[in-house]
Amino acid sequence: MDLTHSPADEEFRGQARAWLDAHVPRTPLPSLETEEGFAAHRAWEAELAADRWSVVSWPERYGGRDAGLLRWLVFEEEYWAAGAPGRVGQNGIGLLAPTLFAYGTEEQRARVLPPMATGEVVWAQAWSEPEAGSDLAALGSRAVRTDGGWRLRGHKTWSSRAAFADRAFGLFRSDPETERPHQGLTYLMFDLRAPGVTVRPIGRLDGRPAFAELFLDDVFVPDEDVIGEPGQGWRIAMSTTADERGLTLRSPGRFLASAARLRHLWRAQGSPGHARDRVADALIAARAYQLFTYAAASRVLDGARLGPESSMNKVFWSELDLALHETALDLLGAEGERADGAWAEGYVFSLAGPIYAGTNEIQRDIVAERLLGLPKGRR
Amino acid sequence: MDLTHSPADEEFRGQARAWLDAHVPRTPLPSLETEEGFAAHRAWEAELAADRWSVVSWPERYGGRDAGLLRWLVFEEEYWAAGAPGRVGQNGIGLLAPTLFAYGTEEQRARVLPPMATGEVVWAQAWSEPEAGSDLAALGSRAVRTDGGWRLRGHKTWSSRAAFADRAFGLFRSDPETERPHQGLTYLMFDLRAPGVTVRPIGRLDGRPAFAELFLDDVFVPDEDVIGEPGQGWRIAMSTTADERGLTLRSPGRFLASAARLRHLWRAQGSPGHARDRVADALIAARAYQLFTYAAASRVLDGARLGPESSMNKVFWSELDLALHETALDLLGAEGERADGAWAEGYVFSLAGPIYAGTNEIQRDIVAERLLGLPKGRR
Amino acid sequence: MRFLLDSGQRAFADALHAMLTAADTPAVIRSWSRGDHARGRALWSRIAEAGVFGLAVPEEYGGAGPHPVELAVAFVELGRHAVPGPLAETVGAAVLLGDPPLAERFLPALASGERPATVAAPGGYALDGDAVSLCLSPAPEGLYLSTVTPGPVRRSLDPARRLARSAPGGELLAREAPYDRALTWIRLATAAQALGVGLALLDRTVTHVRRRTQFGVPIGSFQAVKHRLADAKTALEFARPLLFGAATTLRPAEVAAAKLTACEAAYRTARTALHLHGAIGYTAEYDLSLWLTKARALRSAWGAPEECRDLVLTDGLQETDGQPEADAW
Amino acid sequence: MRFLLDSGQRAFADALHAMLTAADTPAVIRSWSRGDHARGRALWSRIAEAGVFGLAVPEEYGGAGPHPVELAVAFVELGRHAVPGPLAETVGAAVLLGDPPLAERFLPALASGERPATVAAPGGYALDGDAVSLCLSPAPEGLYLSTVTPGPVRRSLDPARRLARSAPGGELLAREAPYDRALTWIRLATAAQALGVGLALLDRTVTHVRRRTQFGVPIGSFQAVKHRLADAKTALEFARPLLFGAATTLRPAEVAAAKLTACEAAYRTARTALHLHGAIGYTAEYDLSLWLTKARALRSAWGAPEECRDLVLTDGLQETDGQPEADAW
C-alpha cells in the first residue's frame, strides 16, 4: 500500500500545474453547448495541444507524452483543480482513440489521431437509435456494401456533440441475416458534412443543443474508415464501452475539484447546518472514488483487466455527481433556480449521468449477476 | 373538507383522556415479550376492559362502545399520546375479530369475543410456514376431516405472541387436490394448549421471544371453530389481511406520539443540527399519515372499500417507523447501543415493519400493478 | 370531520382540467418562455373567468373568497397543466392588497384576470415581472408598487419562469401589509401547483413505460421501474392530504409542511420521470421537460426546504401538541 | 504509488480467515454473550499468536509494529467472523501505553494475548470490562488503570458486546497519554471490523437469496432484490479503499471518513440482509443476527457519524486541498 507518487510523476504534476496556472482562462469559457462556446473550447484544445497537454497518455508521435495511467490520473487532478474548461474532444479522445489503439490500422491512427489531438477534428458518437437505447443490440441502421466502401442508411439519435462536431463514429448493421442481434454489426467513422447526412440539433433540458439526431441517406464511407473487421463491431464497441464505464469516462480529479468547490460554496454561505452532512459526504465520496480508481489502476498496472466492477464505478460517480450538484443548488437557495451559473450547467449535465453510458439499472443488474453471481432474471 | 371532530366525538375524547390520565401506569410496564411483561400487559387489558376501553369500536354486547371509525381514531390518538402500554390483544382484536364480524357465526362471536376483550384469552396468529412467507398460497399444513371436526398436522412459524398466548387462528390445507394453491384452504381457530401442540418460542434480534414455532401433531379442532365455509379460507383471510394492511394495523395516533417524543428527545439533547431535518420530517410524515387516514376513513364512511391503496399505507408507516427510531438512536449517541431503553425496544420492533404483513416489495408491486396499471412482470 | 372533497369541488377540478386540456398548454408555455405573452394572457383570462383568482378575493371586491380549499383544488390543476405565469404571486398580491382602500383600487381587476400581478420576493426576483403591470415589493418600510428594472430577464432552469428584478422604491401603497399571511397563501398555492406537476409527471411516465419496449418487453414490467413509480405514487398521495389539511387550517406551519412535502414529492417524481424516459426526457423539445424543470424551480420558490422545516419545528403541526412525559422514555 | 495489498498481506488475511472459519465463531460469540469467556479467551490467544495485536506494538515490546495496514487487514477478518471482545480497544490500549515506562510494563502481555485490555470511552462504557483485567480510563487528569464497577453489565443491542462501567479513579498511570492517537487507531480498527461485518452479511445474504424460493423462483432473481444487493456491494467496495487509504496515511480525518463510511455501508448492508432474509433474519437463534446487531453497535462506537463528519469538514481529506478560485464559479 503506497499512495505516494514517484518523484518523476510529482515533477510531471508540477509541470502540468505550472502550465495550467499560466494558461487556464481567468473567466469561464461560454457554454460548450453553444456555437460560440464550442469554438472557444476548440481553441482551448489547440492551446493545450500546442504544448502537448491535450492527450498526455498518447504516444508522442500522435501528440501525447506517453504518460502512463498514474500520470494521467495526476494530470486530471491538476486539470480539474485548476478550474480548466470542459473537454470538447472528449468523445474522440475517450472513446474512439482507445478503439483505434486496439483495433485500428497504423494508417488510421496516423490519419485520425493528430487532428483529434489539436481539436481540428471534433468527434461525435453515433450509437443510439430511437428504438435502441439501453438495448443497443436492437440497432437497425444499415451499412450496405458498395464499391470501395459502404453506404449508410438510417437514423441515429442522442449523438452528443454532433450539433457542432466534424465527424462521427458508430455501429451499423452490415449483415441483417445473422442469428443473433449482436452479430453483423460494423464499426465505422463518417463525416458529418458528407452528402446525405442531415444533422438536427436537439436541445437538452436547458435548451442547449448538447446532442443531435442524424439522418443518414445513402452516405458513402470508404473502406479505410471501417475499424476492425466488418461484422465484428459489437465486440469492438463493447471493449470501448467497457472503457467508457471504467477508468477513463470520469476521472476522480473532476469530483475532487467539484467537492472542494462545494465546500467553498458552503463556507461562503456561512456553513449552514442543513447542508453540513451532504457537503461532508461529497468530500468523502470524492476521496473514495479517487482511492477506488488508484486501486483499480494499480491492478491494471499489474496486468488485470477491468471487468464488471466498472459498473459499480458508473453508479457511484453518477450518483455522486448528482448529489453534489443538488446540494450546491440547495445552498444557492432561490438563486439556485437560475439557469446561467456554472453550478446550474453542471447540474443539468449531472442529471444525464444515471441515464447514459448504460443506465444505472443495467449497471446494477451487471453488478448483481456478474459480481455477486445472482441468477439472471427477466429484467 | 372539515377536520373538526363532532362535539360528541370531542366529548368522547375528553372521557378517554381523563380515564387514561388516571389509569396509565406512571412507569412503563416490562417488555411485552417477556413472561412477566406479558402478564402485566394482560392485566392492563383487563383494566381497560373493566371500563370498556379495550375494544371501543365493538358493539356494546361484546364489551365495546359502538365507536365508529372516527371515534376509534380519536381514541387511538389519546391512547398513544398518553404513553399507554402496547396492546397484547392486538392480534385478536385487529385480525381475528374483524374476521368473526364478517364471517363468524353469532355463537362464535358470543363465545370468542368477550374473553378476547378482557385479555382473558390472548390470541396468536398462525399464518406463515417455513416455505410459505411472502408466498402464502404455498401453505402445506393440513386439516384432515374427522368426526365432528378436523385434525391439524403441520408446522407453523413466526407466530407472533404465541410464546405466551392461549389460542391461535390460521389457514390450513383441507383439500390438497385443488387446481390452484389458493383453493382448498380452511380458516380455523385452535387451542395452543391442546394435545398435540408444541410451542417453541423464538427469540427476536434482542433475544425476546416475540414469536414461536408451532408443531401440530394431530390436533383436534371441533367444527364450531371453523370460520366460514371449509375451503374458503383464502378469501376470508385476504379480507382480513386487507384490513391488516389498511386502517387498523397501525393507527396514526401511534406515530404522532412517537414523533412528538422524538422532538422531545431532540430538544433534550440540545437540538443538534445533524438530526434537525430528520426530526422535522418525522413530524411531517406522522401528520401526513394522520390526514391520509382521515381521508381514507371519510371515504369508508361514504361507503367506499379500501383497496390496494392500503399497500401505500403499509410502505409509508413501516418506513416512517424505522426512520423515526433510527433517528432516536442516533440522537442517543453511544447510549443508543443499549438494548434496554424504550427507544431500543421500539427500534427492534420497527425493524420488522418492512417485512411482515406482506413485505414492502410485494406492496410496491401491488401499487405499481393495481394502482398504476403497470404490466405484471415476473416478480 | 369529513376530510374529502365534495362533489362541487371535484366538479370544479374536472371543469378546469377539461378547459386546460383543450387549451394546449405546452404551446402556451413555449411562447410564454420566448417572452410572447399573448396566448398566456388569453389563458389567464379564462382561468380568471373560471373563478380561480376570485377564490382569494372577498365578494365585495369582485371575488368569491376567501376559499383556500377550492384554491388548492384549482392550483393542483394549474400545476398539472404547467400553466405559466405569476399564478401563486397573484394570489399573494390579493392578500397583500386585501384591506381597504387598496382592495377597492386593485382587487376587482385582479379577480377578473384583467391585471395579473407579481410579488418580488424580498431580496429576490419578481417572477414574470416583464409580463405584468402590477409588481408589488414588500419592504421594511411598507408595500411598494414597483416597476421592473429594464434589461433582459434572467433565465430560470424552468424556461417558462422569467426572473425579473423590481426597481427599488416606487409608490408606497401602505406602511403595513400582511406579508406573513400573503406568504402563507403563496406557499399554499405553490404546494398545490407542485402536487399537480408531480401528478402529471407520474401520469406521463406511467404511459411511457407501458409503451416503451426494450429487451422485448415494456420497460414498465421491470421491477426496478415499477418500484420507482410506486414510490413516486406513494409520495404524491401522502402529500395530497397535507395540502388539503393545510388549506383547511391555514396554519403557517401546516402550510410550510405541505409546501415542503409536495415540492419534494414532485421533485423526486421528476427525477424518476426523467430517468425512466431516458434521453428523450432530457430534451427541451419533448413536452415532459416543461414539467420537469418546473418541479425543480418550485422547490426553492417561496421557502426552501430548510425554511419550511424551521417553521414546523418552531410552531408544531398540531394544535393539541401533546408533550409526553419525558421520564417514561 | 501502488495501492494494492501485496501477496504477503493477502496471505495473512487468508490464514486468519481459515483459522477463524475453523474456530466456529458463532458458538464462541454465544458463550461470550452469556458471560462465559473461556472459549473467547482461547480464541483471543490464537489471534494474538497470529500476530494481530503485535501489529500495534513496537518490536522492542514484543510486537512487530506499528503496521496499520496489516492491522486493517486483520480486523477486516475479525469483523468478517464477528469475533467478540474488546479488539479495537486492545489496539487503543497499546497506543495509550506505547511510551516507556508503561510500554515495558504492559505491552508484552498485550501483544502476546495474555492480557486483553479495554478502554473506557470518556463518559461512556468500558466494552467487555467484566472480561479483562486491564481497563484504561483516559481522563482530564491523565490515564487511569481502573477497575470495573461491580454489578451486572448493561445489555447492548449486540449481545456479544457487554457494556461495563469503570469505577472513577484507580492508579494514575500517566499524566499525559496520547489519547487522540489512540482514538485514531481504535477508529481504524473499528472501520476495518465494520467492513468485515458488512462483507460477511453480504456473502450470507447472497447465498440465502440464491437458495430461498418464493413464487417458484429463487428470490435472488427478482430485480428489486438484485439491486439492493448491488447497492450493498457498491457501498462496501467504495468503503474498502477509504479504509486502506486511512491505514496508509493515518491522518485523523481520513480515518474518520473511513470509520463513517465503513460503518454506514455495513449498517445499510445489515438492513438489506435482514430484509431479504425475512423473518428468519429477525431471530436471535439464526447466526445472521450476530453480524446484524454488531453492524448497528459499531456505527455509534468511538465516533458517531456526526463526529466523523466534523473532522472531515474541519481538517479536510487531502494534504493538497486545492481551493479553487471562488469567482470562477
Side-chain angles (χ1 to χ4, degrees):
Chain A
M1 287 288 171
D2 177 10
L3 278 170
T4 323
H5 291 287
S6 69
D9 286 356
E10 285 299 340
E11 197 195 316
F12 172 85
R13 182 194 293 279
Q15 289 168 6
R17 186 179 296 182
W19 188 90
L20 289 161
D21 274 355
H23 289 82
V24 167
R26 296 273 152 224
T27 53
L29 301 185
S31 166
L32 178 49
E33 318 294 0
T34 60
E35 187 158 11
E36 177 203 6
F38 199 91
H41 282 78
R42 201 196 275 266
W44 168 249
E45 293 289 314
E47 193 172 343
L48 283 167
D51 290 325
R52 285 194 299 122
W53 290 112
S54 71
V55 288
V56 294
S57 60
W58 291 8
E60 294 199 11
R61 66 182 176 286
Y62 303 126
R65 289 173 175 253
D66 268 322
L69 197 47
L70 296 175
R71 208 171 277 189
W72 175 75
L73 287 167
V74 164
F75 173 76
E76 288 280 311
E77 286 173 14
E78 293 303 318
Y79 187 87
W80 297 109
R87 300 294 306 272
V88 70
Q90 180 68 29
N91 278 325
I93 296 168
L95 289 170
L96 178 58
T99 308
L100 287 172
F101 285 121
Y103 298 95
T105 64
E106 182 48 42
E107 183 277 327
Q108 286 174 327
R109 286 193 281 268
R111 176 164 50 90
V112 171
L113 294 177
M116 183 193 291
T118 60
E120 196 189 323
V121 173
V122 175
W123 290 81
Q125 50 173 303
W127 299 122
S128 298
E129 297 179 5
E131 296 308 315
S134 291
D135 185 7
L136 206 56
L139 291 173
S141 288
R142 293 289 313 279
V144 178
R145 194 77 186 110
T146 185
D147 264 8
W150 301 78
R151 295 205 160 266
L152 307 184
R153 285 193 201 114
H155 181 187
K156 293 281 181 182
T157 191
W158 320 128
S159 176
S160 53
R161 297 289 117 84
F164 308 111
D166 308 293
R167 308 198 72 201
F169 55 95
L171 288 184
F172 290 81
R173 193 162 294 283
S174 50
D175 180 357
E177 307 284 298
T178 57
E179 208 163 290
R180 293 166 52 87
H182 307 76
Q183 299 165 341
L185 294 165
T186 294
Y187 195 129
L188 42 76
M189 306 179 278
F190 57 99
D191 199 314
L192 286 168
R193 286 167 205 128
V197 178
T198 307
V199 177
R200 191 184 73 82
I202 306 176
R204 66 177 180 193
L205 281 182
D206 61 0
R208 290 179 173 145
F211 34 43
E213 273 183 302
L214 307 178
F215 298 94
L216 304 164
D217 179 14
D218 228 18
V219 179
F220 178 72
V221 175
D223 280 331
E224 64 183 27
D225 282 345
V226 171
I227 304 179
E229 290 298 308
Q232 295 297 309
W234 180 261
R235 198 169 54 82
I236 297 169
M238 284 303 102
S239 76
T240 309
T241 55
D243 276 334
E244 182 181 4
R245 283 177 198 141
L247 279 181
T248 59
L249 182 59
R250 285 282 175 275
S251 69
R254 194 165 178 141
F255 301 109
L256 290 169
S258 293
R261 272 187 197 97
L262 181 67
R263 185 184 49 193
H264 187 91
L265 173 66
W266 177 65
R267 286 183 180 156
Q269 303 274 358
S271 306
H274 67 87
R276 187 180 192 83
D277 285 8
R278 291 189 287 160
V279 172
D281 289 351
L283 289 164
I284 294 170
R287 174 66 167 161
Y289 186 67
Q290 179 191 33
L291 292 171
F292 184 92
T293 305
Y294 274 115
S298 299
R299 279 197 301 279
V300 168
L301 293 174
D302 263 17
R305 271 189 65 86
L306 291 180
E309 74 173 65
S310 303
S311 292
M312 295 196 292
N313 213 24
K314 162 75 205 300
V315 171
F316 191 85
W317 69 249
S318 60
E319 292 190 344
L320 163 58
D321 201 25
L322 196 41
L324 205 151
H325 283 90
E326 284 184 329
T327 306
L329 292 202
D330 279 353
L331 280 168
L332 290 169
E335 288 292 309
E337 182 183 345
R338 274 175 47 188
D340 46 9
W343 283 113
E345 173 134 17
Y347 165 71
V348 171
F349 188 67
S350 75
L351 280 173
I355 300 170
Y356 71 103
T359 68
N360 285 4
E361 279 70 43
I362 302 264
Q363 308 298 350
R364 288 190 173 96
D365 282 344
I366 293 173
V367 172
E369 289 166 17
R370 296 180 54 197
L371 290 177
L372 299 177
L374 294 178
K376 218 173 148 72
R378 204 190 83 186
R379 284 206 183 84
Chain B
M1 287 286 172
D2 177 10
L3 278 169
T4 323
H5 291 286
S6 69
D9 286 356
E10 285 299 339
E11 197 194 319
F12 172 86
R13 182 194 292 278
Q15 289 168 7
R17 185 180 296 182
W19 188 91
L20 289 160
D21 274 355
H23 291 80
V24 168
R26 296 272 155 227
T27 53
L29 302 184
S31 166
L32 178 49
E33 317 295 359
T34 60
E35 187 159 9
E36 175 202 8
F38 198 90
H41 280 79
R42 199 195 276 269
W44 168 250
E45 293 289 315
E47 192 172 344
L48 282 168
D51 290 325
R52 285 194 299 122
W53 290 111
S54 71
V55 287
V56 294
S57 60
W58 291 8
E60 294 200 10
R61 66 182 179 284
Y62 303 127
R65 289 173 175 252
D66 268 323
L69 197 47
L70 296 176
R71 208 171 275 190
W72 175 74
L73 287 167
V74 164
F75 173 77
E76 289 280 310
E77 286 173 13
E78 293 303 317
Y79 187 87
W80 296 108
R87 299 296 305 273
V88 70
Q90 180 67 30
N91 278 325
I93 296 168
L95 289 170
L96 178 57
T99 307
L100 286 173
F101 285 122
Y103 297 95
T105 64
E106 182 47 42
E107 184 277 326
Q108 286 174 326
R109 286 193 281 267
R111 175 162 53 88
V112 171
L113 295 178
M116 183 192 292
T118 61
E120 195 189 324
V121 174
V122 175
W123 289 82
Q125 50 174 303
W127 299 121
S128 298
E129 297 179 5
E131 296 308 314
S134 290
D135 184 7
L136 205 57
L139 291 173
S141 288
R142 293 288 315 276
V144 179
R145 195 75 186 111
T146 187
D147 264 7
W150 301 77
R151 295 203 161 267
L152 308 184
R153 284 192 201 114
H155 181 185
K156 293 282 181 182
T157 192
W158 320 128
S159 175
S160 54
R161 296 291 116 83
F164 307 112
D166 307 294
R167 308 200 71 201
F169 55 96
L171 287 184
F172 290 81
R173 192 163 295 285
S174 50
D175 180 357
E177 307 283 298
T178 58
E179 208 162 291
R180 292 166 53 88
H182 307 77
Q183 298 166 339
L185 294 164
T186 294
Y187 196 130
L188 42 76
M189 305 178 279
F190 58 98
D191 199 315
L192 286 169
R193 287 167 203 128
V197 178
T198 307
V199 177
R200 191 183 73 82
I202 306 176
R204 66 178 179 192
L205 280 183
D206 61 0
R208 288 178 174 145
F211 34 43
E213 273 183 302
L214 308 179
F215 298 93
L216 304 164
D217 179 13
D218 228 19
V219 177
F220 179 72
V221 175
D223 280 330
E224 63 184 28
D225 282 346
V226 171
I227 303 178
E229 289 299 308
Q232 294 299 306
W234 180 262
R235 198 169 55 83
I236 296 168
M238 283 304 102
S239 77
T240 309
T241 55
D243 276 336
E244 182 181 5
R245 283 178 197 140
L247 278 181
T248 60
L249 182 59
R250 285 281 175 278
S251 69
R254 194 162 178 142
F255 302 108
L256 289 169
S258 294
R261 274 186 196 96
L262 181 67
R263 185 184 48 193
H264 188 91
L265 173 66
W266 177 66
R267 286 183 179 158
Q269 303 274 358
S271 307
H274 67 87
R276 185 180 193 83
D277 284 7
R278 290 190 287 160
V279 172
D281 290 351
L283 289 164
I284 294 170
R287 174 67 167 160
Y289 185 66
Q290 179 191 33
L291 293 172
F292 185 91
T293 305
Y294 274 114
S298 300
R299 279 197 300 280
V300 168
L301 293 173
D302 263 16
R305 270 189 66 86
L306 291 180
E309 74 172 66
S310 304
S311 292
M312 295 196 293
N313 212 24
K314 162 75 206 300
V315 171
F316 191 86
W317 69 248
S318 59
E319 292 191 343
L320 163 59
D321 201 26
L322 196 40
L324 204 151
H325 283 90
E326 284 184 329
T327 306
L329 293 201
D330 279 353
L331 279 168
L332 291 168
E335 288 292 309
E337 182 183 345
R338 275 176 47 189
D340 46 9
W343 282 113
E345 175 135 16
Y347 166 71
V348 171
F349 188 67
S350 74
L351 280 173
I355 300 170
Y356 72 103
T359 68
N360 285 5
E361 278 70 43
I362 301 265
Q363 307 298 352
R364 288 189 174 96
D365 282 343
I366 293 173
V367 172
E369 289 166 16
R370 294 180 55 196
L371 290 177
L372 298 177
L374 294 179
K376 218 173 149 73
R378 206 192 81 185
R379 284 207 182 82
Chain C
M1 163 69 67
R2 191 174 182 285
F3 191 52
L4 273 185
L5 295 178
D6 63 30
S7 57
Q9 290 162 334
R10 289 200 304 271
F12 179 47
D14 291 346
L16 278 173
H17 178 58
M19 187 265 277
L20 294 166
T21 303
D24 185 18
T25 52
V28 177
I29 300 164
R30 290 185 190 280
S31 48
W32 187 274
S33 305
R34 287 189 302 269
D36 169 2
H37 301 121
R39 294 185 65 175
R41 290 293 296 269
L43 181 58
W44 190 279
S45 299
R46 299 193 55 192
I47 292 166
E49 271 164 42
V52 172
F53 302 116
L55 295 168
V57 172
E59 274 185 50
E60 58 263 52
Y61 305 116
H67 285 305
V69 172
E70 284 73 9
L71 187 91
V73 167
F75 269 73
V76 170
E77 298 309 318
L78 299 180
R80 195 194 292 264
H81 292 273
V83 174
L87 296 158
E89 291 72 13
T90 292
V91 167
V95 176
L96 283 172
L97 301 166
D99 299 316
L102 295 176
E104 279 146 17
R105 177 173 160 199
F106 290 108
L107 292 196
L110 203 147
S112 70
E114 207 177 299
R115 231 182 150 181
T118 194
V119 179
Y125 296 99
L127 180 70
D128 296 312
D130 62 330
V132 300
S133 60
L134 186 56
C135 175
L136 300 178
S137 298
E141 317 85 70
L143 181 68
Y144 285 100
L145 176 59
S146 312
T147 53
V148 168
T149 312
V153 293
R154 287 280 193 178
R155 293 171 59 231
S156 161
L157 282 170
D158 175 3
R161 287 170 61 91
R162 302 168 56 79
L163 307 176
R165 287 264 183 211
S166 63
E171 182 191 343
L172 185 63
L173 294 175
R175 294 209 177 277
E176 301 214 330
Y179 181 65
D180 287 348
R181 197 150 56 85
L183 188 58
T184 298
W185 279 75
I186 297 182
R187 282 184 178 159
L188 178 69
T190 306
Q193 218 178 336
L195 179 63
V197 166
L199 292 169
L201 285 164
L202 179 64
D203 276 358
R204 285 174 168 262
T205 308
V206 166
T207 303
H208 174 77
V209 302
R210 293 171 69 174
R211 282 188 198 152
R212 169 79 175 169
T213 294
Q214 289 279 275
F215 306 102
V217 292
I219 62 173
S221 64
F222 299 143
Q223 203 179 26
V225 170
K226 288 158 88 158
H227 285 194
R228 275 191 82 150
L229 288 169
D231 284 341
K233 170 78 176 165
T234 303
L236 292 166
E237 290 306 331
F238 277 87
R240 193 195 293 271
L242 278 177
L243 170 68
F244 287 108
T248 304
T249 69
L250 274 186
R251 297 184 66 226
E254 295 238 27
V255 173
K259 194 307 177 167
L260 168 70
T261 308
C263 287
E264 286 295 315
Y267 182 65
R268 291 294 130 196
T269 305
R271 286 274 310 274
T272 293
L274 171 60
H275 191 69
L276 298 183
H277 276 81
I280 183 87
Y282 190 65
T283 63
E285 63 192 47
Y286 192 66
D287 285 344
L288 188 79
S289 66
L290 307 174
W291 283 262
L292 289 176
T293 53
K294 195 174 296 297
R296 175 62 193 80
L298 293 180
R299 197 163 169 268
S300 49
W302 298 110
E306 216 26 50
E307 245 176 293
C308 294
R309 288 195 180 97
D310 275 346
L311 213 52
V312 167
L313 288 167
T314 317
D315 291 3
L317 285 174
Q318 311 266 332
E319 279 175 70
T320 55
D321 232 346
Q323 285 291 341
E325 298 291 314
D327 56 6
W329 293 75
Chain D
M1 163 69 68
R2 191 175 181 283
F3 190 53
L4 273 184
L5 295 178
D6 63 31
S7 57
Q9 290 162 335
R10 289 201 303 271
F12 179 48
D14 291 345
L16 277 172
H17 178 57
M19 186 267 274
L20 293 166
T21 302
D24 185 19
T25 52
V28 178
I29 300 164
R30 290 186 189 280
S31 47
W32 187 274
S33 305
R34 286 190 303 269
D36 169 2
H37 301 120
R39 294 186 66 176
R41 291 294 295 267
L43 181 59
W44 190 280
S45 298
R46 301 195 54 194
I47 292 166
E49 272 165 40
V52 172
F53 302 115
L55 295 168
V57 172
E59 274 185 48
E60 58 263 50
Y61 306 115
H67 285 306
V69 172
E70 284 74 8
L71 187 91
V73 167
F75 270 73
V76 170
E77 298 309 317
L78 298 180
R80 195 195 292 265
H81 292 273
V83 174
L87 296 158
E89 291 73 14
T90 292
V91 167
V95 176
L96 283 172
L97 301 166
D99 299 316
L102 296 176
E104 280 144 17
R105 177 173 161 198
F106 291 107
L107 291 196
L110 204 147
S112 71
E114 209 176 296
R115 229 181 153 182
T118 194
V119 179
Y125 296 99
L127 180 69
D128 297 312
D130 62 330
V132 300
S133 60
L134 185 56
C135 175
L136 301 178
S137 299
E141 318 86 71
L143 180 68
Y144 285 99
L145 176 58
S146 313
T147 53
V148 168
T149 311
V153 292
R154 288 280 193 177
R155 293 171 60 231
S156 161
L157 282 170
D158 175 3
R161 286 170 62 91
R162 302 169 56 79
L163 306 176
R165 286 265 182 211
S166 62
E171 181 191 345
L172 185 63
L173 294 174
R175 293 209 178 278
E176 300 214 332
Y179 181 65
D180 286 348
R181 196 149 57 84
L183 188 58
T184 297
W185 279 75
I186 296 183
R187 282 185 179 160
L188 179 69
T190 306
Q193 218 178 336
L195 179 63
V197 166
L199 292 169
L201 285 164
L202 179 64
D203 276 358
R204 286 174 169 262
T205 308
V206 166
T207 303
H208 174 77
V209 302
R210 292 170 69 173
R211 282 188 198 151
R212 170 78 174 170
T213 293
Q214 290 279 277
F215 306 103
V217 291
I219 61 173
S221 65
F222 299 142
Q223 202 180 26
V225 170
K226 288 158 88 157
H227 285 195
R228 275 190 80 149
L229 289 169
D231 284 341
K233 171 78 175 164
T234 303
L236 292 166
E237 291 305 333
F238 277 87
R240 194 195 293 270
L242 278 178
L243 170 68
F244 288 108
T248 305
T249 69
L250 274 185
R251 297 184 66 226
E254 295 238 27
V255 173
K259 195 301 177 172
L260 168 71
T261 308
C263 286
E264 285 294 315
Y267 182 64
R268 290 294 128 195
T269 305
R271 284 273 312 274
T272 292
L274 171 60
H275 190 69
L276 299 183
H277 276 80
I280 183 89
Y282 190 66
T283 63
E285 63 192 47
Y286 192 66
D287 285 345
L288 187 80
S289 66
L290 307 174
W291 282 263
L292 288 176
T293 52
K294 196 174 295 298
R296 175 63 193 80
L298 293 179
R299 197 162 169 269
S300 49
W302 298 109
E306 216 26 50
E307 244 176 295
C308 294
R309 288 195 180 98
D310 274 346
L311 213 52
V312 167
L313 287 167
T314 316
D315 292 4
L317 286 173
Q318 312 265 332
E319 281 174 70
T320 56
D321 233 347
Q323 285 290 342
E325 299 290 314
D327 57 7
W329 293 75

